[in-house]
Amino acid sequence: MAPDHAGTLGYALGQIGAKAAFALIVPALAGYIAYSIADRPGIAPGMIGGILAANLQAGFLGGIAAGFIAGYHRPLPQHAYPAAQEPLGL
């Protein structure tokens, strides 16, 4: 977008669209890499990692790394409760 067209509707739409679209590419990339590895539980952590990578100016490589980290992260095993202490499933 040429700055000499500033103030026009086309310039405003171009600025909004370009900034929003390119700001979401890295989080979407990281989220879908994590989704391909961990299925649905990986989408949100992958996108959060992608936002962090974008804010740290890590670029696409940071987004790829965030996607792999979020996808391969495994939570700790859950503690098995005795039957008398089993949580209520409300």
Side-chain angles (χ1 to χ4, degrees):
M1 294 270 142
D4 57 331
H5 297 293
T8 64
L9 178 64
Y11 181 80
L13 290 175
Q15 288 294 314
I16 293 169
K19 287 182 181 179
F22 289 120
L24 293 176
I25 287 176
V26 175
L29 172 73
Y32 285 111
I33 287 174
Y35 172 73
S36 70
I37 296 168
D39 208 29
R40 281 183 37 199
I43 294 175
M47 287 196 173
I48 291 170
I51 291 170
L52 182 62
N55 287 339
L56 293 175
Q57 302 296 316
F60 282 106
L61 292 179
I64 291 170
F68 276 107
I69 291 169
Y72 283 116
H73 178 265
R74 300 279 186 237
L76 295 173
Q78 296 295 320
H79 179 70
Y81 292 103
Q85 296 177 345
E86 191 68 32
L88 297 175
L90 299 178

